[in-house]
Amino acid sequence: VAASGKAEPLKVIISGAPASGKGTQCELITQKYGLVHIAAGDLLRAEVAAASENGKLAKEYMEKGELVPNEIVVMMVKERLLQPDSQQRGWLLDGYPRSSSQAAALEDYGIRPDVFILLDVSEDILVERVVGRRLDPLTGKIYHLKYSPPENDEIASRLTQRFDDTEEKACLIFLVKLRLRTHHQNVDAVLSVYKDITVKAC
Ligand code: ADP
């Protein structure tokens, strides 16, 4: 994009499964390019916190882990994208679109990203990341037994074990795979719209 010498601010959509490292990438990208980070989930949580009419409606769906209806989400995201700061600095959109109709709505408004980043991490690796994840209840720091092990035995001994028998572990793996399936269905639905501008990273 830099090489193209474009004067327009950068517009990016990012998509990544749970535990794909999307949060970290979003931080790095927004810092590097000075973009406004717009996360659909954050916008919705702000509406819920404000107890607006939309927020009250959205809450019912979010509690069930279901997609909030387009009538609420589409306008909310569109308005945020058109705010002066997003227009001036460019934006990184995260958690939207999650369906072909949500992608189509952006297209209808003439809102098109320069690039669609797809964090393409294999299911085995995602499961391994989630299963090995540990929390230090004292500092709040997140560790991974293999990839980011605790600094010493004292910390290691107090890390919270989210599950200690194989049955719980199997249940966790099942849930991770279920969430991944939903994610892949969502991604497949929007991928065709952005095929020509998709960049895969892992
Ligand atoms: P998660 O990755 O767990 O889905 P998010 O913060 O992205 O977390 O979203 C939280 C909830 O907000 C979702 O479960 C869903 O109910 C709602 N939500 C987020 N983005 C969208 C969207 N694009 N369309 C509809 N609902 C959404």
Side-chain angles (χ1 to χ4, degrees), residues 116-183:
F116 181 87
I117 301 175
L118 181 64
L119 298 179
D120 202 14
V121 183
S122 80
E123 183 175 277
D124 287 349
I125 291 178
L126 291 175
V127 168
E128 195 191 6
R129 282 187 194 167
V130 175
V131 168
R133 205 179 262 177
R134 293 290 184 279
L135 170 77
D136 180 348
L138 215 63
T139 62
K141 193 172 165 188
I142 300 284
Y143 292 90
H144 188 283
L145 295 181
K146 189 167 159 193
Y147 301 115
S148 174
E151 292 87 351
N152 55 52
D153 288 349
E154 191 191 335
I155 297 174
S157 67
R158 68 174 183 239
L159 292 185
T160 48
Q161 302 271 336
R162 300 269 304 271
F163 43 82
D164 14 43
D165 62 38
T166 46
E167 203 177 311
E168 275 178 70
K169 187 169 163 178
C171 183
L172 180 70
I173 291 174
F174 176 78
L175 288 174
V176 171
K177 289 191 173 176
L178 204 66
R179 284 187 71 196
L180 285 178
R181 209 170 67 187
T182 310
H183 170 76

Side-chain angles (χ1 to χ4, degrees), residues 5-181:
K6 254 176 73 174
E8 293 266 305
L10 189 59
K11 294 170 285 188
V12 183
I13 295 182
I14 190 164
S15 169
S20 64
K22 182 161 62 100
T24 307
Q25 292 307 320
C26 283
E27 258 178 54
L28 293 172
I29 293 168
T30 46
Q31 270 172 23
K32 180 159 182 184
Y33 297 100
L35 307 179
V36 177
H37 181 205
I38 301 173
D42 288 347
L43 294 180
L44 284 166
R45 279 184 287 275
E47 286 290 323
V48 172
S52 66
E53 278 310 306
N54 279 346
K56 284 179 201 160
L57 253 171
K59 194 172 175 218
E60 291 175 27
Y61 292 87
M62 292 168 78
E63 278 171 354
K64 288 185 275 182
E66 289 172 10
L67 288 184
V68 174
N70 279 359
E71 294 77 59
I72 296 174
V73 180
V74 172
M75 289 309 285
M76 209 183 58
V77 169
K78 180 198 142 205
E79 278 169 19
R80 187 64 192 90
L81 290 171
L82 296 179
Q83 292 280 313
D85 60 342
S86 317
Q87 291 292 300
Q88 280 154 19
R89 287 163 48 199
W91 43 260
L92 173 69
L93 181 58
D94 162 12
Y96 185 104
R98 291 201 195 195
S99 63
S100 54
S101 58
Q102 289 188 358
L106 283 192
E107 297 278 296
D108 287 346
Y109 291 123
I111 301 174
R112 193 168 170 79
D114 300 301
V115 59
F116 181 87
I117 301 175
L118 181 64
L119 298 179
D120 202 14
V121 183
S122 80
E123 183 175 277
D124 287 349
I125 291 178
L126 291 175
V127 168
E128 195 191 6
R129 282 187 194 167
V130 175
V131 168
R133 205 179 262 177
R134 293 290 184 279
L135 170 77
D136 180 348
L138 215 63
T139 62
K141 193 172 165 188
I142 300 284
Y143 292 90
H144 188 283
L145 295 181
K146 189 167 159 193
Y147 301 115
S148 174
E151 292 87 351
N152 55 52
D153 288 349
E154 191 191 335
I155 297 174
S157 67
R158 68 174 183 239
L159 292 185
T160 48
Q161 302 271 336
R162 300 269 304 271
F163 43 82
D164 14 43
D165 62 38
T166 46
E167 203 177 311
E168 275 178 70
K169 187 169 163 178
C171 183
L172 180 70
I173 291 174
F174 176 78
L175 288 174
V176 171
K177 289 191 173 176
L178 204 66
R179 284 187 71 196
L180 285 178
R181 209 170 67 187

